[in-house]
Amino acid sequence: MTRFGYDERSAALLVFPVLAVLLVVAAFPIIYSFWVSLHDIVLTRPLRRPFVGFDNYLRIFDDARFWTAVARTTVYTLVCVAVTTFLAVLVALLLNEVFPGQRLLSALLLVPWATPSVVNGLMWKWIYDPTYGLLNGLLVQVGLLERYRVWLGDPDITLLLIANAAIWKQMPLAALLMIVTMKAIPEDLYRAARVDGANIWQRFVHVTLPALRPGLMLVLVYETMISIRHFDLFLIMTQGGPGDASFTLSWLIYVETFRSLRFGTGAAMSYVLAITTFALSWAVIRFLGKRI
Amino acid sequence: MKKPLAPRVTRAILLTLFSALFVLYVAGPVAWLVSSSLQSEAEITRVPPNWLPQNPSIANFEAIFSAADRVVTYENRRQGEALTSSFLPSGAANLLPAMRNSLVIGLWVAALNLLLSVTAAYAIAVIDFRGRRATLYTVLATRVVPDIALVVPLFLVIRNLGLINSLGALVVTYLAITVPFTIFILISYFEGIPRDLYRAARIDGCGHGRALWHVYLPLSLPALVASLTFAFLTSWNEFVFALVLTQNVAAQTLPIIISGFIMDFTTSFSFVNAAGVIAIIPPVLMAVVFQRYIVSGLTAGAVKG
């Protein structure tokens, strides 16, 4: 056999186009972005771009807006991940049953998943609309609310309302992953538990939950990585407001880069977010991988 | 063995209850969007809101599809009355071209994504070559970086190349999003195809090209359909990159034009809702039609853990 046989040559040929594309639109920008983050690049002064080392990074940590954004992103991500996972398990329990209409409901599950995020933002913004929205109309008609509220204008709940829109869209994929995991649980386990006299709740806690671990871990990691970087809804629904109530990290990066045109600090912030995301998913995998 | 009656009734009640809640939660918001799009501006701005349109009308949709024929000038710009829903936002004529852009980009992304991913996935799943694991990890690692972090450098690169506003730049950018995931799906599918078929093909004198074409592709039709759908949907729905990489109306995609309407306070509600419904129809139809393929595709890697 030669050093580079037929297999090696074919593989190189087959893999090359993908690597070329990813090099241009993924690898190079990632590296280039690091270079940018070490320079003081402000687009309003295009010819002046001094090398500043890690000053951009240090500047971020002195920036009060950054810490606000960290706090907002943390709350938002926790809510999104927790509620999405909870709902996904519930939906999976429902759709894993066999009953008339189950197939129809499974098809329906894909509707939020397929909805473009812009339309998702539009839809919920319209539902929350202070004068003509569904939420006000519904709650007042039922008698749960005395008078119309400006939902997205209330800094205490804005973040939760945006999270609700996000959860609506990302719950289906999580639910699908949970259903697949549930389908893989051997029926024997339930039969054995039943013989031992376990009721439905005990069967759920002692048979279903432990068997869901791998799927649960996948959902937690995936949802964390997705939620922490959400951007579309913030641009469409609140633009970081009211005040700084929905001022998250990805929104800060957008403002810093495309409104203040400070590309250097913007890139540095992007790096901080990327590394945080990576570290978090790593930690979740390690932590949960050991414990359960 | 028939179960006793009481538990069966409880089960039926619980299932009905939870099914109803599920339908309300999943379909309710979309139903309200559709209902709003079929109402006139006068009807939609009524308090309390109309749950269902009193006089369903497709005027908003007609307006979208005829907007291109209307020339808005200084003289006739106020002719349409907002309350009779003949009022059109100034950007209405951009909707159809934007839809065309979204469609063209989506089809290119779907096709190129499949071409690139099939070959790479075959190589990684089937051929035993040095650097196989490294290739796989490199491909998957590019998706760890958040989109918003990629947007800035990509914008600088594409601006320096003078490719802002080019549909081609968007297509290539979207490939970076879809390819890693598609490769992941296809690998798990290819690995499920019996190795003996591959050996038999090789013994019969097939090279890798023909083994891929005559053995692997015909056997992985569901995964191929899933990949095409997934790539088209991702491209059709994508927002951040399109927002930053296109700056004139001629090159913008549907989500960008719609987001412009949402943030424009003068746009009529019913019109925006109709635009939203139009943007939702193709992806939702595809998702429902190809449901089985999509579900097995999306969850392909999950079972193995």
Side-chain angles (χ1 to χ4, degrees), chain A:
Chain A
M1 217 172 134
T2 50
R3 220 172 107 75
F4 289 103
Y6 173 65
D7 280 352
E8 241 84 20
R9 275 181 286 123
S10 320
L13 198 68
L14 291 170
V15 161
F16 173 76
V18 166
L19 292 182
V21 168
L22 289 181
L23 186 73
V24 176
V25 277
F28 179 69
I30 292 170
I31 296 161
Y32 182 47
S33 156
F34 186 63
W35 183 86
V36 170
S37 78
L38 300 180
H39 292 73
D40 186 16
I41 297 181
V42 181
L43 219 59
T44 43
R45 304 178 68 184
L47 294 178
R48 195 190 131 276
R49 42 177 63 186
F51 176 80
V52 292
F54 284 92
D55 279 8
N56 282 332
Y57 291 88
L58 296 177
R59 212 175 295 161
I60 299 173
F61 297 119
D62 283 339
D63 190 341
R65 290 177 313 161
F66 174 76
W67 295 109
T68 311
V70 169
R72 301 284 180 272
T73 309
T74 311
V75 173
Y76 175 80
T77 306
L78 284 178
V79 171
C80 277
V81 174
V83 179
T84 305
T85 312
F86 177 71
L87 286 181
V89 173
L90 279 190
V91 169
L93 283 173
L94 174 68
L95 296 183
N96 196 35
E97 295 290 317
V98 182
F99 60 95
Q102 182 264 347
R103 290 177 62 104
L104 186 72
L105 296 195
S106 305
L108 215 52
L109 182 64
L110 285 179
V111 171
W113 175 77
T115 301
S117 60
V118 168
V119 180
N120 187 27
L122 153 77
M123 191 174 77
W124 286 98
K125 201 180 178 190
W126 173 232
I127 290 175
Y128 299 147
D129 189 272
T131 16
Y132 311 119
L134 178 80
L135 189 59
N136 273 326
L138 183 70
L139 291 181
V140 168
Q141 273 181 347
V142 180
L144 284 173
L145 196 69
E146 206 133 291
R147 64 167 67 133
Y148 278 28
R149 286 182 64 177
V150 185
W151 293 103
L152 285 173
D154 183 345
D156 294 336
I157 53 170
T158 313
L159 214 49
L160 300 180
L161 294 175
I162 300 175
N164 176 53
I167 292 163
W168 183 79
K169 180 165 166 53
Q170 65 196 35
M171 179 275 286
L173 181 56
L176 286 180
L177 293 172
M178 297 316 298
I179 294 173
V180 177
T181 322
M182 273 181 201
K183 289 229 191 301
I185 304 176
E187 191 60 31
D188 291 355
L189 288 181
Y190 289 104
R191 241 174 262 139
R194 222 171 272 163
V195 169
D196 289 345
N199 63 29
I200 183 164
W201 174 250
Q202 286 167 330
R203 288 202 298 270
F204 175 72
V205 171
H206 296 291
V207 179
T208 314
L209 267 189
L212 284 185
R213 272 182 339 215
L216 218 46
M217 204 165 86
L218 193 68
V219 167
L220 284 177
V221 172
Y222 179 75
E223 294 302 333
T224 309
M225 283 179 67
I226 292 296
S227 307
I228 210 171
R229 53 171 87 167
H230 273 169
F231 169 77
D232 305 7
L233 291 176
F234 291 94
L235 177 71
I236 287 159
M237 295 175 82
T238 58
Q239 308 238 336
D244 57 11
S246 58
F247 202 92
T248 55
L249 273 173
S250 43
W251 179 250
L252 172 63
I253 293 173
Y254 180 77
V255 169
E256 185 75 6
T257 313
F258 293 103
R259 301 235 166 128
S260 313
L261 298 177
R262 286 193 287 265
F263 279 63
T265 33
M269 286 170 178
S270 304
Y271 252 87
V272 171
L273 179 61
I275 291 169
T276 314
T277 316
F278 191 70
L280 264 181
S281 17
W282 185 256
V284 171
I285 292 173
R286 289 298 298 265
F287 178 71
L288 288 179
K290 262 187 199 145
R291 268 202 51 201
I292 50 177

Side-chain angles (χ1 to χ4, degrees), chain B residues 49-61:
Chain B
N50 292 316
W51 301 101
L52 293 170
Q54 304 296 310
N55 309 298
S57 101
I58 53 163
N60 290 307
F61 295 96

